Amino acid sequence: MGVVHNSSYFTAFCTGKSIIIFNHRTSETQVLNELSIGEKQPASENNRDSGEGNIVAASTSPNGKYFVVACDTKVAVVWCTQTWTQLASHLLVKRPMALAVTRDSSTLLVADKSGDVYEFPMLGQRAEIKDTELPSKESEKEEFEEPGGHKPLLGHLSMLLDVAVTDDNKYVITCDRDEKIRVSHYPRAYDIHTFCLGHQEFVSQVSVLAGNPHKLLSCSGDGTLRLWDYVKGECVCCVDTREQLQHSPDLLQHYLNHHNTKMTQHRSDDTNTGKHEHKGDGEKTGKQEEIRKTLPDYPAVKCMAVCPSGTEVHLVAALLDKIPAIFLYKVDDQQMMYMSTLNLSTEPHTAAWISNRKLVIIQSDVEEKVRVFRFRENVLDPISEHPMVEVGKKYKDYFKGWCEPLDVDVLYKQRYDNVADYLKKKEERLANERAAQDGLMPPVKKGRWVK
């Protein structure tokens, strides 16, 4: 697994179990070994046999002092960005999916696979009570405080995929597998402000647009990017990436070829295992094959990178599942416009904007693991000589196991049409009743044959 995260003066490449820190000021690099936390963390039922220690999410505090990563072993680790020493580690309740830091840099929010968000004090101390106007709630906070210092903040009925905190620290925004974006008051997250509804598939990522009041950008498995007014819960603008794919048939065919290859592999696996299955197991396999056919014939927007480019102007680089290209958009006030598409030799795993409108991407299947592009005249131009490119070459072994934290295909709902089976059985029942009336077969009464 892998995550790339950019801050004001450093970029962190989280390559599985290690973190490569690139300092923008000095162009120096250092490696943080995430495995060391396993020796400091006591074994418990919470983190035993839960994962391999791969990093699935990363974030920097707004004040720039802390860098936080979450691992699939249900552990979150906090580093000091000045000395790169480990300050704290937190045992998580469930496998993390995303994390965010409040604007005062005192509290860590972790969204997990079961649909819950938990609060953790950044350095392991109890978070300060923010709402002094409701003293009756103080005892309620203490009542729900867990022994480890964390508190449940909110919950969804579905897997959470991302979490964000607004610039004014008034709202926490979460998105899930069930197409929903929820805007909740913070810290009283039981008070839901509104929902942003409109996506037809899972919402893979949300991003609050800095400098653009009350605006939120989201991407989804339905292939769209949506711009929201999150206070009103209204969709301001929507861009469908399928419109751009129509002008790039080679890219779409690349996705379809990968999809067909995966289907063929599934059929081959089912055939090999079916030799040792009973009849009932074979019927179950057939239903699984039917479910797999419900995967869409267009790619999901798996992630995006947002770059402030003015007071209300933002550049957006969108990455599509199984598509070897970068799609570039511009958000200007309440409009979102398509700018250009950059074709690549292989699929990029993730992307992040760095200073001076430069975009860094990670590709694990090519010689250059790290590539850097400069935005100029509505297009992205590659930069062949850049210190980050040298980082990819120097630490190329670290990037070999790089992959997305979660397979996008498993996020699609398992839909299959059982109406055809119902209509078939209904037609057979009506035919039997007509045959019984004509005396061609014994009559049927209450679903049983009459002797």
Side-chain angles (χ1 to χ4, degrees):
M1 298 182 182
V3 178
V4 59
H5 177 78
N6 182 66
S7 182
S8 57
Y9 72 91
F10 72 89
T11 297
F13 301 95
C14 305
T15 60
K17 301 177 182 180
S18 300
I19 305 172
I20 303 172
I21 301 296
F22 175 81
N23 192 311
H24 296 167
R25 300 169 181 172
T26 62
S27 297
E28 296 179 351
T29 58
Q30 66 180 107
V31 178
L32 305 179
N33 190 358
E34 182 270 333
L35 287 177
S36 61
I37 68 172
E39 303 171 358
K40 301 178 182 181
Q41 200 62 255
S44 68
E45 295 297 331
N46 194 46
N47 64 352
R48 185 182 293 120
D49 298 331
S50 56
E52 298 179 356
N54 292 316
I55 299 171
V56 298
S59 181
T60 305
S61 61
N63 62 12
K65 294 182 179 180
Y66 310 118
F67 176 64
V68 191
V69 297
C71 313
D72 60 5
T73 48
K74 303 178 185 176
V75 176
V77 186
V78 182
W79 273 281
C80 172
T81 58
Q82 302 298 322
T83 61
W84 291 111
T85 56
Q86 182 179 324
L87 300 178
S89 59
H90 304 279
L91 288 177
L92 308 181
V93 180
K94 297 290 184 179
R95 184 185 186 276
M97 296 298 297
L99 56 83
V101 181
T102 56
R103 303 307 300 176
D104 58 3
S105 302
S106 67
T107 307
L108 175 66
L109 307 182
V110 181
D112 62 36
K113 195 173 183 179
S114 63
D116 298 321
V117 175
Y118 284 84
E119 277 186 307
F120 292 83
M122 180 65 72
L123 300 181
Q125 300 175 353
R126 181 170 298 173
E128 180 183 355
I129 301 298
K130 303 179 183 62
D131 194 349
T132 57
E133 298 179 359
L134 298 174
S136 61
K137 296 296 183 180
E138 303 298 332
S139 58
E140 180 180 342
K141 271 182 171 287
E142 296 293 336
E143 179 181 356
F144 290 100
E145 185 112 11
E146 299 290 341
H150 62 272
K151 302 185 295 294
L153 182 65
L154 59 87
H156 285 230
L157 297 177
S158 176
M159 179 192 302
L160 285 176
L161 299 179
D162 201 7
V163 59
V165 180
T166 58
D167 292 338
D168 55 10
N169 216 46
K170 291 183 178 180
Y171 303 100
V172 55
I173 302 176
T174 48
C175 62
D176 62 23
R177 185 186 179 189
D178 287 342
E179 310 102 26
K180 295 190 299 296
I181 300 175
R182 182 198 294 185
V183 182
S184 307
H185 288 275
Y186 183 78
R188 311 296 182 184
Y190 52 77
D191 184 7
I192 300 176
H193 180 73
T194 188
F195 284 92
C196 298
L197 304 177
H199 284 296
Q200 302 301 313
E201 285 289 351
F202 58 88
V203 184
S204 51
Q205 186 179 341
V206 291
S207 179
V208 178
L209 301 185
N212 204 336
H214 302 161
K215 292 302 184 294
L216 175 77
L217 189 64
S218 65
C219 58
S220 168
D222 60 12
T224 65
L225 294 96
R226 289 178 179 266
L227 182 64
W228 306 87
D229 184 327
Y230 61 80
V231 174
K232 298 179 180 179
E234 297 178 353
C235 180
V236 177
C237 184
C238 178
V239 171
D240 196 335
T241 58
R242 286 173 286 186
E243 297 179 2
Q244 284 76 57
L245 285 175
Q246 290 178 355
H247 302 288
S248 304
D250 294 340
L251 293 178
L252 183 58
Q253 189 61 42
H254 184 277
Y255 170 80
L256 296 176
N257 291 340
H258 186 278
H259 185 273
N260 294 334
T261 301
K262 190 171 185 179
M263 291 288 294
T264 304
Q265 291 175 351
H266 282 309
R267 293 192 187 99
S268 177
D269 294 340
D270 292 341
T271 301
N272 294 333
T273 58
K275 296 178 182 179
H276 307 286
E277 291 176 343
H278 299 290
K279 181 178 179 181
D281 295 334
E283 293 177 355
K284 182 178 180 180
T285 300
K287 289 184 178 180
Q288 292 175 345
E289 184 68 23
E290 191 172 346
I291 291 173
R292 293 191 189 106
K293 292 180 181 178
T294 63
L295 291 176
D297 55 359
Y298 55 87
V301 184
K302 62 180 182 180
C303 65
M304 60 184 177
V306 181
C307 173
S309 184
T311 306
E312 295 183 348
V313 179
H314 295 75
L315 299 177
V316 181
L319 305 185
L320 276 59
D321 185 40
K322 311 299 185 302
I323 296 294
I326 303 173
F327 294 82
L328 195 62
Y329 300 88
K330 181 175 72 172
V331 177
D332 188 355
D333 192 15
Q334 300 191 26
Q335 299 293 325
M336 183 161 43
M337 298 157 285
Y338 167 73
M339 302 183 72
S340 61
T341 300
L342 176 65
N343 293 340
L344 303 172
S345 59
T346 185
E347 177 190 4
H349 293 301
T350 187
W353 291 96
I354 56 177
S355 59
N356 299 324
R357 295 187 178 186
K358 296 177 183 176
L359 182 72
V360 55
I361 66 169
I362 306 299
Q363 295 176 287
S364 62
D365 298 333
V366 293
E367 185 64 25
E368 291 186 351
K369 310 298 182 183
V370 179
R371 298 190 65 187
V372 181
F373 301 88
R374 178 186 290 108
F375 174 78
R376 186 179 350 183
E377 298 180 356
N378 297 341
V379 296
L380 293 173
D381 294 331
I383 303 176
S384 57
E385 296 183 0
H386 192 276
M388 284 194 185
V389 177
E390 299 302 320
V391 171
K393 296 177 180 179
K394 181 179 179 180
Y395 299 96
K396 61 180 180 180
D397 292 338
Y398 286 85
F399 292 91
K400 287 184 178 179
W402 191 291
C403 63
E404 283 79 11
L406 186 64
D407 184 5
V408 172
D409 289 347
V410 305
L411 298 179
Y412 291 100
K413 291 184 177 178
Q414 296 181 350
R415 301 186 180 99
Y416 59 94
D417 185 14
N418 58 356
V419 177
D421 293 337
Y422 165 76
L423 295 177
K424 182 179 179 180
K425 293 179 179 179
K426 180 179 179 181
E427 185 63 30
E428 291 177 354
R429 177 173 58 80
L430 295 177
N432 291 337
E433 291 179 357
R434 289 192 295 267
Q437 292 175 358
D438 296 338
L440 300 178
M441 60 186 305
V444 179
K445 184 179 182 180
K446 294 183 180 181
R448 297 179 179 272
W449 292 104
V450 178
K451 297 182 179 179

